[in-house]
Amino acid sequence: SSSSGDEALRDKRARILSRGLPEQKPIEGVKQVVVVASGKGGVGKSTTAVNIALALAANDSTKEVGLLDADIYGPSIPKMMNLKGNPELTSKNLMRPLKNYGIACMSMGFLIEETAPVVWRGLMVMSAVEKLLRQVDWGELDYLVIDMPPGTGDVQLSVSQNIPVAGAVIVSTPQDVALLDARKGAEMFRKVHVPVLGLVQNMSVFQCPKCKHETHIFGADGVRDLAKTLGLDILGDIPLHVNIRETCDSGQPVVISQPQSDAAKAYLKIAMEIVRRLPVAPA
């Protein structure tokens, strides 16, 4: 009968819910995990993640920093960090991260051909994320920055629920369409009890290199308004500048290649704001 079927369904749901969330297990050797996320693609999240990782190391030379590219379908960290090749394996069959500019990096891009598309279903993607999280020998890291894929899907939930995340940084342009998705991203992290450290307003203003006139191509203060609505902080503003794009495309991010530039200083300030808001790291 339909009533007995409904009862069986309720029992099944109750059993699933009683299991709760998976137990969070820290990544061995990693003190604090910071995820850099965005509600949608094309807002400069990976560029921001790369420069934040470099800025964390530049601000405090005593800190060891790692960078994990969790974007399985569109890994961009290898190009931005000027890294190629396959990871070596340790005696425990763990992958050794590739390193450049003092940052230990791991990405799906090291495991597949550069031009090969990843045509996988969700379960295969989740298996790959699990390997990138658990089968890498990170050594001893003070901070692991995770460049999340855009959106609020399986990868974001899996990372948030399986490892303790010290805080999330949401990247958005001031454009209304981007802000809609940025809000969803912030709300998702709140639902899974990940502290949102603040928002980064990317591509905030464009200054003409010839006449120095400033134009707010994507709008002026959309991210600031969203931050007020959500009760969150603005960690910093990144201008829309050709140097930021060119340096990342050439594998020489602006924090490393042009440390005295306004763009680099903006990332260094954001990294300082992130550290200020992180909980006290375990000894």
Side-chain angles (χ1 to χ4, degrees):
S1 69
S2 63
S3 61
S4 62
D6 289 345
E7 193 173 334
L9 186 60
R10 281 197 296 272
D11 286 346
K12 186 176 181 182
R13 279 181 185 151
R15 285 198 306 274
I16 291 169
L17 289 171
S18 69
R19 294 176 199 159
L21 295 175
E23 185 182 353
Q24 289 185 329
K25 184 182 170 191
I27 300 173
E28 192 171 340
V30 176
K31 288 184 181 175
Q32 292 187 303
V33 173
V34 176
V35 299
V36 179
S38 67
K40 69 193 275 50
V43 298
K45 170 189 52 60
S46 293
T47 299
T48 303
V50 164
N51 280 293
I52 282 175
L54 291 163
L56 286 167
N59 281 340
D60 188 343
S61 60
T62 68
K63 302 297 185 185
E64 293 292 330
V65 181
L67 180 59
L68 172 60
D69 187 352
D71 194 343
I72 303 300
Y73 291 117
S76 50
I77 298 304
K79 182 174 181 61
M80 291 183 177
M81 289 295 287
N82 196 26
L83 286 167
K84 281 186 179 179
N86 301 116
E88 295 177 357
L89 291 178
T90 68
S91 57
K92 294 182 179 177
N93 220 29
L94 298 175
M95 293 181 286
R96 277 204 184 94
L98 276 62
K99 207 164 187 177
N100 198 11
Y101 308 125
I103 308 294
C105 302
M106 181 51 64
S107 170
M108 193 69 201
F110 299 146
L111 307 176
I112 57 172
E113 291 294 323
E114 190 174 11
T115 57
V118 177
V119 189
W120 288 353
R121 292 189 183 276
L123 283 173
M124 291 177 72
V125 172
M126 300 314 298
S127 174
V129 170
E130 181 71 15
K131 283 182 171 62
L132 292 175
L133 288 174
R134 300 291 180 199
Q135 295 183 21
V136 176
D137 180 8
W138 289 106
E140 296 295 322
L141 292 183
D142 294 283
Y143 307 114
L144 176 62
V145 177
I146 301 184
D147 178 25
M148 291 283 216
T152 54
D154 286 347
V155 173
Q156 288 83 349
L157 281 172
S158 181
V159 170
S160 304
Q161 292 174 352
N162 282 286
I163 62 172
V165 177
V169 175
I170 310 288
V171 181
S172 181
T173 62
Q175 188 179 5
D176 287 351
V177 174
L179 293 167
L180 284 171
D181 292 331
R183 179 170 191 159
K184 291 175 190 171
E187 296 290 4
M188 184 211 73
F189 284 116
R190 284 178 164 174
K191 280 192 174 180
V192 294
H193 310 296
V194 170
V196 179
L197 303 176
L199 307 181
V200 171
Q201 182 162 262
N202 198 26
M203 308 184 200
S204 57
V205 64
F206 172 73
Q207 186 184 70
C208 175
K210 292 186 177 178
C211 70
K212 305 301 179 186
H213 175 72
E214 292 191 345
T215 305
H216 295 276
I217 292 174
F218 295 107
D221 287 314
V223 179
R224 293 185 177 280
D225 294 339
L226 177 62
K228 281 181 193 169
T229 302
L230 297 176
L232 294 170
D233 294 331
I234 286 284
L235 301 173
D237 290 76
I238 306 296
L240 178 61
H241 201 292
V242 68
N243 284 3
I244 298 174
R245 194 270 306 164
E246 286 178 345
T247 53
C248 264
D249 279 355
S250 66
Q252 298 176 313
V254 71
V255 167
I256 284 292
S257 59
Q258 300 174 15
Q260 298 306 315
S261 66
D262 289 342
K265 288 174 183 174
Y267 287 118
L268 292 164
K269 176 182 174 291
I270 288 168
M272 283 176 55
E273 295 296 329
I274 288 170
V275 171
R276 277 182 53 206
R277 287 164 176 76
L278 286 172
V280 177

